[in-house]
Amino acid sequence: MFHRDVILNDAGKAWDRYKNDPEHFYFPERITVELTNRCNLQCFMCPRNKVEMQSGDMELPLFKKIVDEASLFLPVCLVPFFRGESLLNPQFLEMLSYAGEKGLKPIQCSTNVHFLNPELTRKILDLDIDFISFSIDMNSWRDYEGGRKNPGYEEVFKNIIFFLSEKKARHKLLPEVQVSVVKTEQNADFIKDFVGFWRDKVDRVRIYYAHSLDGKLGHLRDDKEGGGGERKPCLKMLTDMVIYWNGDVALCNHDWHRDMFIGNVKDDSMADIWQSELYNVVRKRQLYNDLADFSPCDNCSHWQMYYKKNYLIGELYEQDKVSTY
């Protein structure tokens, strides 16, 4: 496979390889699986406010089908969340345990932490996943720091601190722990304090830039945040497959409403969908910048991340360094 570390060293090289040898990209390196699109929060900056969608949870047999096929093409990274709070799927633990047993790695999770009680923390640590991101609502943080009681955030705070203490007590290096927040005009003044509080407690603090606020999925309102410049091909089409809870395949993680039907993994294998003529049409539209009226690609800014040194848009604070991309 054309592994991600090679792609990141030279983004254009990946597309050159695709033009000359498309069969080289025979299976995605990273699979995002939507365990549920239900969420207990209603964050104002979330794209779900702009999108109508039927709610549901992925069923265990479908998840196992996905994992079983991916296990034939290792190494494959698994991202078990998209559009919702994954802990709301009642089979969350069983799903991640199965993926681990089948060799998918790394497994990268994210949660808004509201359901991460001590019992669940212990069970997640037992799974030996590689990465977990605690996504925090900045308005709740601001209330908490300002002395205004916010029971929701107090519980989130306790849940994170317990997770960290339990991980330390077990002498575990993994999962790598990230705390993240979305930077908006409303909370920009509090980012410095937020980073200062968490930086020495977790492995990394990630500041994401708000996108899609104008209803254009994946769009950064200020292109300076992404870097701007002449449009180049987005590499997600060569590396990542995203699967909704019902088995439909999305174009990417900014495709919240699936204008184009690519396939459903209940009916076909991921490999067949990935190698299909339709998927290659999509890739060629990226390659040749034929994106007029092609949602969400036509307005998305996140292609820029693939042409940055460290493959990030936003700010990343680690215990020994600071990076802004």
Side-chain angles (χ1 to χ4, degrees):
M1 279 185 123
F2 202 78
H3 292 296
R4 187 173 300 274
D5 58 345
V6 178
I7 289 177
L8 296 183
N9 288 335
D10 189 343
K13 187 176 180 180
W15 280 103
D16 287 341
R17 181 65 182 267
Y18 174 75
K19 285 188 289 186
N20 296 322
D21 184 17
E23 293 183 0
H24 187 77
F25 299 84
Y26 56 86
F27 198 79
E29 297 181 357
R30 173 181 166 112
I31 299 173
T32 293
V33 180
E34 183 176 74
L35 303 189
T36 182
N37 64 348
R38 297 183 295 122
C39 188
N40 57 303
L41 301 181
Q42 195 68 31
C43 301
F44 80 91
M45 65 286 192
C46 181
R48 69 187 304 113
N49 297 317
K50 307 287 186 180
V51 176
E52 293 184 8
M53 53 184 173
Q54 181 183 356
S55 296
D57 297 347
M58 180 170 286
E59 296 179 350
L60 184 60
L62 175 57
F63 181 83
K64 286 186 173 181
K65 180 180 186 294
I66 293 168
V67 169
D68 286 346
E69 182 179 356
S71 70
L72 303 176
F73 297 93
L74 299 178
V76 174
C77 170
L78 176 67
V79 182
F81 71 93
F82 178 47
R83 298 194 304 179
E85 171 52 48
S86 294
L87 295 185
L88 286 172
N89 188 311
Q91 295 176 303
F92 171 83
L93 290 169
E94 187 174 356
M95 288 174 163
L96 266 61
S97 176
Y98 187 79
E101 291 170 2
K102 288 291 185 175
L104 272 66
K105 194 174 185 67
I107 296 176
Q108 302 171 331
C109 298
S110 181
T111 174
N112 63 36
V113 201
H114 284 259
F115 303 107
L116 192 67
N117 56 45
E119 179 183 4
L120 187 54
T121 285
R122 295 185 182 99
K123 291 179 178 179
I124 289 176
L125 287 171
D126 287 340
L127 294 175
D128 291 325
I129 62 174
D130 302 274
F131 176 90
I132 189 165
S133 180
F134 298 137
S135 180
I136 295 178
D137 172 19
M138 192 61 172
N139 289 328
S140 295
W141 165 261
R142 181 173 56 189
D143 288 346
Y144 182 83
E145 283 293 278
R148 295 182 291 274
K149 291 296 182 182
N150 186 310
Y153 186 78
E154 286 192 271
E155 195 64 27
V156 164
F157 175 86
K158 292 176 182 177
N159 290 341
I160 296 175
I161 296 300
F162 181 82
F163 189 98
L164 295 171
S165 63
E166 185 70 10
K167 177 189 170 185
K168 183 177 181 180
R170 296 187 185 201
H171 305 287
K172 294 178 70 73
L173 296 177
L174 296 176
E176 180 181 5
V177 176
Q178 170 179 286
V179 168
S180 69
V181 72
V182 176
K183 183 179 182 179
T184 66
E185 294 178 358
Q186 291 85 346
N187 65 31
D189 292 341
F190 295 87
I191 294 294
K192 183 178 179 180
D193 291 340
F194 180 86
V195 172
F197 180 84
W198 286 110
R199 187 171 176 181
D200 64 349
K201 297 178 176 63
V202 298
D203 297 297
R204 45 189 270 171
V205 181
R206 179 75 187 277
I207 309 301
Y208 293 98
Y209 293 152
H211 60 81
S212 309
L213 295 180
D214 51 9
K216 300 174 182 177
L217 293 171
H219 183 247
L220 295 164
R221 288 195 299 181
D222 183 355
D223 267 344
K224 292 179 181 178
E225 293 180 334
E230 182 183 357
R231 174 75 191 230
K232 297 178 182 179
C234 178
L235 290 177
K236 287 183 184 293
M237 302 299 166
L238 297 185
T239 60
D240 289 46
M241 176 178 278
V242 178
I243 303 170
Y244 299 125
W245 64 271
N246 64 356
D248 282 350
V249 174
L251 283 175
C252 73
N253 60 308
H254 295 293
D255 183 11
W256 279 56
H257 50 50
R258 192 185 58 76
D259 285 337
M260 172 183 286
F261 181 74
I262 302 175
N264 187 296
V265 298
K266 288 182 180 178
D267 306 319
D268 298 295
S269 72
M270 288 185 289
D272 285 345
I273 295 171
W274 185 253
Q275 298 169 21
S276 68
E277 181 179 353
L278 179 55
Y279 226 129
N280 278 308
V281 167
V282 170
R283 293 185 182 106
K284 288 174 182 176
R285 294 194 69 166
Q286 279 290 332
L287 178 60
Y288 298 110
N289 198 19
D290 178 21
L291 301 175
D293 300 319
F294 186 62
S295 176
C297 303
D298 51 354
N299 290 304
C300 186
S301 307
H302 280 75
W303 61 269
Q304 299 168 36
M305 62 191 280
Y306 292 100
Y307 300 88
K308 292 180 175 291
K309 180 179 179 181
N310 287 296
Y311 180 49
L312 294 171
I313 289 177
E315 302 164 27
L316 177 65
Y317 299 84
E318 298 173 289
Q319 293 191 9
D320 59 345
K321 62 182 179 179
V322 178
S323 303
T324 302
Y325 306 105

